Amino acid sequence: IVVTESHRLVASCIIQTADQGTYDSSVSINEMQVFLKGTEFEGIMMWLTGMEDGDTSRFHELDEDGSSTIEAEELSLAVAEYYYNVAGQEAFEHIIEFSKRSMAERERSA
């Protein structure tokens, strides 16, 4: 799977949303479950954590360094996999536009 700048943008927005202002370029499974529920990112959170289908957590598969967090590049790969294989192109285009708007709003309010 090829990771593009659009995947990185979405991953960055997910991290900023899940970090709730403590942006450290990584996100824990707990941050994802707490802060992404009810957001535009809930679908990918459910898929990553295994909450969607009761499977084992994909989060831990991506956490290659065993830090109990996934960093931006690991999350970018997950974003690419999720939108290529699960959610589809239309959902990906929607989340790109949402992420662009969200990042622009954060910059304006900073």
Side-chain angles (χ1 to χ4, degrees), residues 6 9-10 13 39-43 79 82-83 87-102:
S6 293
L9 168 72
V10 173
C13 194
T39 72
E40 294 285 330
F41 303 116
E42 184 171 14
V79 167
Y82 177 73
Y83 286 101
Q89 185 63 32
E90 187 175 320
F92 185 52
E93 290 171 10
H94 168 77
I95 206 68
I96 291 168
E97 290 308 311
F98 173 81
S99 296
K100 286 178 181 176
R101 286 191 310 273
S102 180

Side-chain angles (χ1 to χ4, degrees), residues 56-90:
T56 54
S57 170
R58 289 164 186 84
F59 185 96
H60 298 295
E61 295 170 12
L62 291 165
D63 182 19
E64 292 182 4
D65 60 4
S67 65
S68 296
T69 62
I70 53 176
E71 285 70 34
E73 216 34 57
E74 294 166 324
L75 186 55
S76 296
L77 179 60
V79 167
E81 183 180 342
Y82 177 73
Y83 286 101
Y84 282 138
N85 298 325
V86 179
Q89 185 63 32
E90 187 175 320

